[in-house]
Amino acid sequence: MTGAGITHARDADVAEVSALIASAFTELDVSRWLIPDAGRREPVLAANFRILVEHALRHGEIHFAPDRSGVAVWDD
């Protein structure tokens, strides 16, 4: 069950979910250390998160906030 306006992500949402998570991690100290090139950091993070997002779509759940500004990734 989901709350009002909460929606489930689908296969078509993989890129959007991956990019959203990457944007949240882009300015963390560890992200800057792992990927010093600021121009490459977000795309590299998104590519890595995509693996986890695809797994969660098949074995867990991903929910969007009503305005799609955030996601919750639940991996069983």
Side-chain angles (χ1 to χ4, degrees):
M1 177 163 58
T2 60
I6 302 294
T7 57
H8 288 274
R10 299 188 167 151
D11 287 340
D13 300 317
V14 168
E16 181 180 359
V17 172
S18 301
L20 187 56
I21 297 169
S23 71
F25 279 74
T26 296
E27 294 306 318
L28 295 178
D29 288 341
V30 70
S31 297
R32 283 188 250 177
W33 177 76
L34 286 169
I35 311 158
D37 183 345
R40 294 199 48 209
R41 190 175 308 130
E42 197 162 333
V44 169
L45 288 170
N48 281 285
F49 284 121
R50 183 181 185 101
I51 297 165
L52 301 172
V53 168
E54 289 172 343
H55 180 82
L57 280 171
R58 280 153 190 74
H59 303 287
E61 295 184 42
I62 300 176
H63 300 150
F64 276 107
D67 64 357
R68 295 176 81 94
S69 66
V71 293
V73 178
W74 300 94
D75 196 1
D76 296 338

